[in-house]
Amino acid sequence: MLSDAIFYQNGIQPSAIEKPLVYILGATLIVLCLLFIKARRGITTYRADLAWLRAGIYFCVALLISKFTGVLSTLLQTPVVTEAQLSNWLWWAFTGFWVLQVFIAYTFIWPRGTFTEGRKLEPIPITFFGIMWGLCHAQMFLVVWALVEYTGLGTLWVAIISFNVISFLNLQWQLRFWDVHISPQHNIEEWNNKKVLMCHVPNLLLGFIHLALFGNIAIFVALQTYALMVSAINMHFPAWWDKTAGQTQES
């Protein structure tokens, strides 16, 4: 039994907070871009403040895309879980298995392939960064699902196409931008494939099967947020003011 369309449905209207949120995000985006242009001049190596500015620009853009594709509206107005699901043993079993996979993968497996290069752990800024990273990146995954869903294809095809598109695009995003300009060096090379096969692929696969079966987008966002928050903490993502992080890393 597959879920109905998640985003391509009638009755979802923008919530009251979305209009002011657009103005706030737009103004913040402009400020961050101006700050980045000024700070970027003459810099060719990794710097934590530039990483934060780049990430902030991405967060604003991701949230705006989420808003204008209807993902944010659906996320804000769709119940986290339905009463029918709470009485469904299959929902409990599958959800529990997925939660366990994410917890084990990102709490124990992912850190084993990660080094911190002596970066100081700053819990408050790192946790904030990780939460924003997870919230925004998860919504970008859902944007892809929504765009595929708008074609009118059945849920099974939406899940298959979305999984493959996101797997390809996310890999390119990580290799060509995020892990170059934003994340500091943190991957132990021989663990790269292990992280993909033991953490990222199972998480995304189980997440999309769960979406296809049950449509719980808030749970999807919550688990991706946990995964990336823990990842940011385990890599000791540098605080804005860290002057030593990534001294050997190209920006």
Side-chain angles (χ1 to χ4, degrees):
M1 182 184 68
L2 298 176
S3 66
D4 296 327
I6 299 173
F7 301 101
Y8 192 61
Q9 55 182 303
N10 297 321
I12 299 292
Q13 300 295 326
S15 60
I17 69 170
E18 290 184 46
K19 187 173 182 179
L21 181 62
V22 168
Y23 291 127
I24 293 170
L25 289 172
T28 303
L29 179 60
I30 292 172
V31 171
L32 291 176
C33 287
L34 292 174
L35 289 173
F36 175 75
I37 292 170
K38 181 179 179 180
R40 180 69 176 82
R41 292 173 183 168
I43 304 300
T44 58
T45 56
Y46 180 94
R47 264 184 22 185
D49 57 343
L50 291 178
W52 276 77
L53 286 171
R54 286 185 171 106
I57 291 169
Y58 168 66
F59 297 158
C60 289
V61 171
L63 290 173
L64 286 170
I65 292 174
S66 177
K67 177 339 191 220
F68 288 116
T69 55
V71 169
L72 183 60
S73 297
T74 308
L75 182 61
L76 291 173
Q77 297 181 57
T78 301
V80 175
V81 59
T82 66
E83 291 186 9
Q85 288 170 345
L86 291 176
S87 60
N88 183 346
W89 69 268
L90 179 61
W91 182 89
W92 280 104
F94 199 105
T95 304
F97 181 71
W98 181 27
V99 169
L100 184 63
Q101 184 275 321
V102 170
F103 178 74
I104 292 175
Y106 293 95
T107 308
F108 301 107
I109 299 175
W110 195 90
R112 293 185 63 187
T114 304
F115 64 89
T116 63
E117 210 174 35
R119 291 182 293 272
K120 184 179 180 181
L121 178 63
E122 298 280 0
I124 295 177
I126 291 175
T127 301
F128 171 76
F129 180 91
I131 291 172
M132 290 302 301
W133 182 16
L135 287 174
C136 296
H137 209 51
Q139 287 181 67
M140 289 303 293
F141 287 175
L142 293 178
V143 164
V144 173
W145 180 289
L147 293 176
V148 176
E149 192 176 79
Y150 290 153
T151 64
L153 292 170
T155 302
L156 178 60
W157 281 110
V158 170
I160 292 172
I161 294 172
S162 297
F163 175 83
N164 284 281
V165 169
I166 290 173
S167 296
F168 174 76
L169 292 180
N170 194 53
L171 176 62
Q172 301 307 312
W173 171 256
Q174 295 292 332
L175 292 178
R176 300 177 186 276
F177 182 76
W178 192 268
D179 283 349
V180 176
H181 300 296
I182 298 179
S183 287
Q185 292 179 344
H186 63 277
N187 282 322
I188 299 174
E189 188 172 351
E190 56 267 29
W191 268 84
N192 284 346
N193 289 335
K194 294 179 183 178
K195 284 184 174 183
V196 172
L197 295 176
M198 298 172 69
C199 300
H200 306 324
V201 170
N203 173 27
L204 190 60
L205 182 61
L206 290 174
F208 276 19
I209 293 174
H210 196 280
L211 282 176
L213 290 174
F214 307 111
N216 299 124
I217 55 176
I219 294 177
F220 180 87
V221 171
L223 287 179
Q224 305 318 305
T225 299
Y226 173 80
L228 293 183
M229 179 189 71
V230 172
S231 297
I233 292 171
N234 282 316
M235 76 169 72
H236 289 196
F237 192 93
W240 172 284
W241 55 84
D242 191 329
K243 301 298 184 183
T244 61
Q247 289 183 337
T248 62
Q249 186 171 344
E250 291 297 319
S251 179

